[in-house]
């Protein structure tokens, strides 16, 4: 038998200068798999295995943490309006404001598997286990969600609107 405290090693977020000097470290009691995203004001955002999205200021002090119901394994992204977007293994994709308050969350029916990307037009792209989905967000208003299923039987690619209606159907040209 091995005591759990001898197995568990806490994760740390480190801040170092360009000469390698450690300026500060922030310790967590959970693993961190994502790289941090940094807001224009220097706030550092990252997810953790314990289901929290953390906001640490540039001095290494916790500003807030937002709880999702599953692991946050991938890096958050920050929109032009400072909204923080991230996915969780609770089958949801989230948008929170810089104060850590939920703006909206979208049910995906699959764990989020990758960091999101934001297009120049404000469209947000993210992946789940079997789905690539996108949300169009302009001026803080969600305009719609779509899902693009990667590979369905018969070598067909289908884009589906959030309502469930087929938006596009792509036949495999190599079949």
């Amino acid at each position: 038998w091995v005591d759990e405290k001898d197995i568990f090693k806490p994760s740390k977020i480190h801040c170092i200068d360009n000469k390698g000097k450690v300026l500060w470290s922030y310790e967590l009691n959970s693993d961190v798999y994502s790289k941090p995203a940094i807001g224009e004001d220097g706030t550092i955002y990252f997810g953790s295995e314990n289901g929290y999205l953390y906001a640490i200021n540039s001095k290494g002090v916790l500003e807030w943490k937002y709880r999702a119901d599953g692991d946050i394994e991938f890096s958050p992204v920050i929109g032009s309006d400072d909204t923080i977007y991230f996915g969780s293994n609770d089958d949801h994709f989230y948008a929170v404001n810089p104060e850590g308050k939920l703006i909206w969350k979208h049910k995906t029916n699959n764990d989020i598997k990758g960091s999101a990307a934001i297009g120049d037009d404000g469209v947000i792209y993210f992946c789940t286990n079997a789905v690539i989905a996108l949300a169009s967000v302009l001026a803080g208003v969600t305009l719609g969600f779509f899902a693009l299923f990667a590979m369905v039987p018969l070598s067909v690619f289908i884009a589906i609107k959030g309502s469930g209606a087929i938006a596009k159907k792509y036949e495999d040209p190599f079949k």
Side-chain angles (χ1 to χ4, degrees):
W1 181 81
V2 177
D3 191 339
E4 190 174 302
K5 71 178 173 40
D6 293 330
I7 298 171
F8 178 76
K9 300 288 186 224
S11 292
K12 290 183 179 181
I13 298 296
H14 303 275
C15 176
I16 60 172
D17 66 16
N18 60 1
K19 294 184 169 115
K21 179 184 172 196
V22 176
L23 301 176
W24 54 261
S25 295
Y26 183 84
E27 187 171 308
L28 296 103
N29 289 326
S30 181
D31 289 336
V32 174
Y33 300 113
S34 69
K35 69 177 184 175
I38 302 174
E40 287 190 29
D41 66 351
T43 301
I44 301 142
Y45 303 98
F46 59 92
S48 178
E49 183 182 50
N50 65 6
Y52 281 101
L53 177 73
Y54 289 85
I56 307 293
N57 69 24
S58 60
K59 298 184 186 313
V61 176
L62 177 68
E63 292 290 323
W64 53 261
K65 56 186 181 177
Y66 179 86
R67 175 81 169 126
D69 291 326
D71 300 359
I72 302 170
E73 296 180 2
F74 298 96
S75 303
V77 295
I78 303 170
S80 61
D81 63 351
D82 296 327
T83 298
I84 301 103
Y85 300 97
F86 67 97
S88 172
N89 284 342
D90 66 356
D91 299 352
H92 286 90
F93 188 78
Y94 294 83
V96 296
N97 69 20
E99 290 76 42
K101 305 292 183 218
L102 180 69
I103 298 170
W104 52 258
K105 72 179 183 177
H106 174 69
K107 178 96 172 120
T108 63
N109 295 322
N110 279 295
D111 293 346
I112 306 299
K113 294 297 180 191
S115 298
I118 302 174
D120 291 340
D121 57 359
V123 175
I124 304 155
Y125 301 87
F126 62 96
C127 299
T128 66
N129 277 342
V131 180
I132 299 172
L134 58 102
S136 179
V137 179
L138 298 172
V141 178
T142 303
L143 301 177
F145 284 93
F146 299 85
L148 176 63
F149 288 80
M151 282 187 45
V152 290
L154 307 175
S155 299
V156 176
F157 298 87
I158 302 172
I160 299 176
K161 291 183 181 178
S163 65
I166 294 177
K168 297 216 179 213
K169 186 174 182 179
Y170 303 96
E171 298 288 338
D172 184 349
F174 302 106
K175 120 175 151 162

